[in-house]
Amino acid sequence: MAKIRFIVGVVALLSTIAHAVSTGTHDLRRVKRQSSTERLVFAHFMIGISSNRNSASDYDDDMKRAKSLGIDAFALNIGVDPYTDQQLQLAYESAANNDMKVFLSFDFNWWHIDQATAVGQKVAQYASNPAQLLVDNKVFVSSFAGDGMDVAALRAAAGRSIFFAPNFHPATGTDISPVDGLLNWMAWPNNGNNKAPTPDHNITVADGDREYVDALGGKAYIAPVSPWFFTHFGPEVSYSKNWNFPSDLLWFNRWNEILALKPRFVEIVTWNDYGESHYIGPLNSPHTDDGASKWVNDMPHDGWLDISKPYIAAFKAGDSSPTNHIPSDELVYWYRPAPRGVDCDSTDTCMVPANNGSGNYFMGRPDGWESMADSVFVVSLLTSSATVQVNSGGTVYNYEAPAGASAKEIPMGVGSQSFAVVRDGQTTLSGTSLKEIINGCSGPFQQDSTISSCKMGSLPLNKDSVTSHVSPAPH
């Protein structure tokens, strides 16, 4: 808990200072933010699991953490739940209080494409809020899916200029002439049909970039960045789904692609979608349990926040490397809690038939489980070159890491995981993870990752900080 309190305290202080400084220059900042050359970073935020928040202050920590990283706005993913407006009001209020921006992202798993007028009316409801993101002096609006919606009807119902950048799919023949930009959601290598890649069908995220950029012909592109994907819902929920995309060093490699691509916008997928394991936000961010707690509890992803900060700064500066934005040494490491081949069938929840209306449920191990590497992944953020030492299950590996950001994949060893940085014969950083790798099961097939870090000035991670704080999901 000490480490988390330390980080939160620093973030809160920086946010307060930034807010105080910016108060007198609000108009200038707003003009700058609307500039057509401004690079912005968004993070996708799931409102649907936030129904247990009761005040704007319940969103404050998320806003402050995101702002401290350089994230400009949360894309508020909304369905049609009865609590949606209450939570949107709280989120918008918190964003305004913390000098953050937010915008609506309509989830067409729940909305329907014949609801264009209702979508526009919802945009109008929040368009004048001080925390609403404006781009090119237009209200920014996005979506998850929604191909075929009447964009003209949406604009008419909104009643003011909007910058509409939905997650439409040009490869399907969708007319994208009415949009101002597009979000590409597919942030993971895949087979072209929303599943893990195969030897014959391997679509990289960069392939998706090219498809969208070519189709947009100069319009704004929202490039996706995501660290992981694993989901393992069985018959205990109505939305059964069970697959993964290979992720491994995806977070590191994708940020390097972003620095080369230099899109106008980047969207992190996601801040808090625990159900698909691609959350980078803290586990203690208030949320209800959609069934994901069985693989999310005690699996913090906070270290990915640390990696993103220098990359976001480099992206906004137009740099090709984060090296100039790394102020101190840090190691960030992650790994799955057990080898991929471990047999968890006797305790797993996906060993029986379940609803497969989506085509995403696979009985047994998740589709694509073979694509996961049995490795420990280490990203070094160093001010100068050093030797990195990794002890995975008793086997010690030493390698030279250069100044800046670099990554290494180490064979996974069952047992304790320890890490150190040695420079000029002196150990400057060291730490041992709280979670050992086991050759067994503690419940269902578990292939989420645990992430932690060693850095200057921080205290050891305490067990209290790696537990997910959830409430029962509303019915």
Side-chain angles (χ1 to χ4, degrees):
M1 197 63 161
K3 178 181 177 184
I4 294 298
R5 277 201 296 265
F6 174 81
I7 293 175
V8 171
V10 172
V11 170
L13 175 61
L14 292 178
S15 180
T16 301
I17 293 172
H19 180 67
V21 171
S22 68
T23 301
T25 58
H26 180 267
D27 290 341
L28 177 61
R29 287 167 57 86
R30 193 175 198 183
V31 169
K32 182 181 179 184
R33 182 162 288 185
Q34 293 167 353
S35 166
S36 62
T37 59
E38 179 80 352
R39 293 189 177 97
L40 300 179
V41 177
F42 314 137
H44 207 79
F45 189 102
M46 310 301 290
I47 289 293
I49 59 168
S50 302
S51 63
N52 60 338
R53 302 191 186 206
N54 299 309
S55 69
S57 63
D58 288 337
Y59 285 89
D60 284 352
D61 185 60
D62 295 301
M63 299 292 174
K64 291 172 181 177
R65 284 177 185 257
K67 182 177 176 62
S68 74
L69 299 172
I71 294 171
D72 298 284
F74 277 127
L76 302 178
N77 177 295
I78 58 170
V80 293
D81 300 295
Y83 51 81
T84 295
D85 278 320
Q86 177 194 18
Q87 294 303 319
L88 285 179
Q89 290 161 12
L90 298 179
Y92 269 84
E93 181 182 347
S94 174
N97 291 341
N98 291 287
D99 195 29
M100 269 285 283
K101 298 298 179 183
V102 291
F103 60 90
L104 300 182
S105 179
F106 293 85
D107 191 328
F108 280 86
N109 277 322
W110 313 108
W111 292 85
H112 302 289
I113 61 172
D114 60 0
Q115 292 181 291
T117 297
V119 169
Q121 290 169 342
K122 185 64 69 177
V123 171
Q125 184 178 345
Y126 293 92
S128 299
N129 193 291
Q132 171 64 50
L133 176 68
L134 301 179
V135 170
D136 298 344
N137 206 31
K138 300 175 182 178
V139 175
F140 198 88
V141 183
S142 190
S143 77
F144 174 78
D147 297 68
M149 183 178 60
D150 186 341
V151 178
L154 182 162
R155 293 184 187 276
R160 59 180 295 174
S161 296
I162 66 171
F163 192 106
F164 188 46
N167 169 227
F168 289 176
H169 302 82
T172 65
T174 297
D175 179 13
I176 63 171
S177 61
V179 306
D180 301 288
L182 289 177
L183 163 67
N184 173 15
W185 182 262
M186 284 305 296
W188 313 272
N190 63 92
N191 70 347
N193 192 31
N194 201 39
K195 300 296 183 297
T198 64
D200 296 330
H201 297 89
N202 186 2
I203 310 299
T204 68
V205 187
D207 290 335
D209 289 334
R210 285 186 287 271
E211 176 188 303
Y212 271 82
V213 170
D214 290 347
L216 283 164
K219 290 184 179 181
Y221 176 47
I222 309 177
V225 184
S226 189
W228 204 258
F229 191 106
F230 167 79
T231 188
H232 198 57
F233 289 109
E236 71 278 3
V237 297
S238 61
Y239 38 87
S240 306
K241 53 184 181 179
N242 183 27
W243 89 96
N244 76 275
F245 292 120
S247 303
D248 298 344
L249 283 170
L250 177 64
W251 187 240
F252 172 79
N253 292 331
R254 181 58 178 161
W255 274 114
N256 286 312
E257 290 179 350
I258 290 295
L259 295 189
L261 182 64
K262 293 180 170 46
R264 184 175 180 187
F265 306 124
V266 169
E267 186 156 326
I268 295 170
V269 181
T270 61
W271 184 263
N272 66 336
D273 192 340
Y274 306 101
E276 293 183 348
S277 306
H278 42 62
Y279 55 97
I280 65 167
L283 288 174
N284 62 3
S285 179
H287 62 281
T288 57
D289 184 11
D290 60 0
S293 60
K294 64 184 180 181
W295 65 82
V296 167
N297 276 355
D298 296 335
M299 303 295 277
H301 289 182
D302 302 43
W304 281 330
L305 297 173
D306 295 352
I307 294 175
S308 69
K309 186 170 184 176
Y311 275 99
I312 289 173
F315 166 69
K316 291 185 175 184
D319 295 343
S320 59
S321 163
T323 299
N324 293 334
H325 305 278
I326 297 173
S328 59
D329 292 339
E330 182 174 2
L331 291 183
V332 181
Y333 53 87
W334 62 94
Y335 52 87
R336 303 188 323 277
R340 68 185 182 191
V342 68
D343 185 353
C344 300
D345 291 359
S346 63
T347 55
D348 200 12
T349 57
C350 291
M351 297 305 298
V352 295
N355 173 36
N356 194 27
S358 67
N360 292 325
Y361 181 71
F362 297 84
M363 195 168 70
R365 297 182 183 185
D367 179 69
W369 69 272
E370 306 95 331
S371 66
M372 297 180 285
D374 284 339
S375 301
V376 175
F377 306 99
V378 184
V379 168
S380 306
L381 304 173
L382 301 179
T383 56
S384 61
S385 60
T387 299
V388 175
Q389 184 177 91
V390 180
N391 184 332
S392 183
T395 302
V396 178
Y397 302 87
N398 291 284
Y399 63 92
E400 299 304 310
S406 62
K408 191 74 171 179
E409 184 173 342
I410 300 295
M412 175 188 289
V414 173
S416 178
Q417 310 296 311
S418 298
F419 306 83
V421 172
V422 179
R423 184 180 289 119
D424 299 327
Q426 300 294 317
T427 300
T428 60
L429 290 178
S430 64
T432 299
S433 176
L434 287 175
K435 187 173 287 292
E436 294 189 356
I437 294 174
I438 62 172
N439 190 24
C441 304
S442 57
F445 187 79
Q446 164 60 292
Q447 297 299 312
D448 191 8
S449 59
T450 183
I451 299 96
S452 193
S453 62
C454 307
K455 58 184 174 181
M456 299 296 292
S458 66
L459 299 173
L461 190 64
N462 181 284
K463 288 184 179 179
D464 290 343
S465 68
V466 299
T467 301
S468 179
H469 296 269
V470 300
S471 301
H475 296 286

